[in-house]
């Protein structure tokens, strides 16, 4: 954990960052390969949500479709009913835990060629917390590198599913129960300055893969970090891409005037994110899939093989990311009171004595 927290300090201590920034500016003029974009074209206006801008995906068909998984199976989030969300008029806290990233056959070839992938999750508050603190952003990124066989390690192998690993505190506060949410997965070129920085940092810090987390930073700080990040990354190929989309974790937040008709409902459970171009591919398999250790597995096939070895054979052309959420209400003045307990506390007890 300490090596991860000091990751950027080690990079800066080794020097040469200014030179890499300079060289990355020159690289912007190089021609793009098929499927690549200049990352600043996508990230440059990523946080401009106050102007009502709906950020387009970084590539055709790469925009994210969200599914929810529970004991009844997989379903798209637009099938989650309002009554399934928390009934709470105030703020909520969302605890996020990374699941897995499983590239499909075609995307796996790109990963092997580029040798790395980046997972990035953004959560942005849209209302001030307690009417005092300005809206903040929460960013978490994981960089995964292939082994000699060109295979990405699972997030379990890297220890990226520990409760407090994503940000030191992976809890995101949503004032009023709503905010904005985005998931992006990409691969940068090996020639980019960022690839060199991360590779060098891995060698210096002695870690298998870097995880960078920035909880509750101001929106101007998030914009500055993202601008530097995209300048260093230069060019990338996206597997899943999403601008900031509206999200609701309570019934009351959906009823607020001006709340958009299209949003991602957030409730406790597991989420699966796929690119829109794979929705038809998933359709015929959807009734037979279940989540196991963050992977999609065909529940009709019983096997003693480890789950991570079964996963590549389950809808092999499908690319997906999984994420686990735990959503709870913030009840000021009643520390430690959980949502079920709070609901019980608000319901008057019925006496069995009859007068």
């Amino acid at each position: 954990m300490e090596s991860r927290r000091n990751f950027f300090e080690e990079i800066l201590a080794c020097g040469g960052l200014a030179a890499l920034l300079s060289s990355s500016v020159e690289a912007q003029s190089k021609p793009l390969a098929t499927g690549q974009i200049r990352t600043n074209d996508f990230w440059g206006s990523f946080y401009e949500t106050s102007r009502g801008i709906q950020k387009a995906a970084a590539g055709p068909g790469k925009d994210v479709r969200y599914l929810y998984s529970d004991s009844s199976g997989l379903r798209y989030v637009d099938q989650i009913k309002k009554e399934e969300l928390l009934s709470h008029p105030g703020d909520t806290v969302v605890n996020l835990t990374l699941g897995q990233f499983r590239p499909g056959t075609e995307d796996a070839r790109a990963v092997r060629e580029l040798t790395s992938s980046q997972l990035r999750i953004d959560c942005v508050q849209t209302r001030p917390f307690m009417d005092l603190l300005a809206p903040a952003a929460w960013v978490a990124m994981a960089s995964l590198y292939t082994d000699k066989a060109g295979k990405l390690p699972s997030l379990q192998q890297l220890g990226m599913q520990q409760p407090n690993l994503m940000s030191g505190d992976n809890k995101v506060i949503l004032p009023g129960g709503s905010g904005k949410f985005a998931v992006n997965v990409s691969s940068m070129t090996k020639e980019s300055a960022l690839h060199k920085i991360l590779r060098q940092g891995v060698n210096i810090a002695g870690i298998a893969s870097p995880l960078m987390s920035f909880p509750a930073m101001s929106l101007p700080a998030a914009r500055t970090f993202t601008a530097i990040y995209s300048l260093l990354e230069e060019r990338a190929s996206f597997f899943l891409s999403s601008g900031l989309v509206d999200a609701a974790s309570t019934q009351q937040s959906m009823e607020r005037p001006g709340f958009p008709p299209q949003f991602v409902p957030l409730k406790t459970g597991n989420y699966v994110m796929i690119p829109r171009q794979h929705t038809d591919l998933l359709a015929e398999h959807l009734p037979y899939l279940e989540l196991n250790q963050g992977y999609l597995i065909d529940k009709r096939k019983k096997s003693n093989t480890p789950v991570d070895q079964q996963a590549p054979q389950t809808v092999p052309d499908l690319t997906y990311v999984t994420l686990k959420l735990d959503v709870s209400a913030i009840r000021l003045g009643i520390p430690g009171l959980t949502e079920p307990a709070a609901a019980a506390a608000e319901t008057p007890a019925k006496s069995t004595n009859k007068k």
Side-chain angles (χ1 to χ4, degrees), residues 321-332:
V321 174
T322 58
L323 187 69
K324 182 178 180 181
L325 301 185
D326 182 39
V327 183
S328 57
I330 296 178
R331 298 181 178 272
L332 300 179

Side-chain angles (χ1 to χ4, degrees), residues 5 31 56 171 178 184 204 212 244 257 295 310 314 326 337:
R5 285 195 293 267
K171 294 178 173 62
S178 64
N184 285 277
I204 294 171
M212 295 160 281
L244 288 167
Y295 288 112
Q310 296 181 49
T314 305
D326 182 39
L337 191 59

Side-chain angles (χ1 to χ4, degrees), residues 296-311:
L296 289 174
I297 301 298
D298 191 327
K299 57 187 176 184
R300 298 171 299 177
K301 300 179 180 179
K302 303 302 180 181
S303 173
N304 294 325
T305 306
V307 172
D308 61 339
Q309 295 181 24
Q310 296 181 49

Side-chain angles (χ1 to χ4, degrees), residues 5 31 50 63 66 72 75 141 170 191 264 268 293 355:
R5 285 195 293 267
S50 60
D63 44 317
Y66 296 85
S72 61
R75 51 178 165 151
M141 296 187 302
N170 57 345
E191 297 79 17
V264 177
T268 297
Q293 300 180 33
K355 293 184 179 181

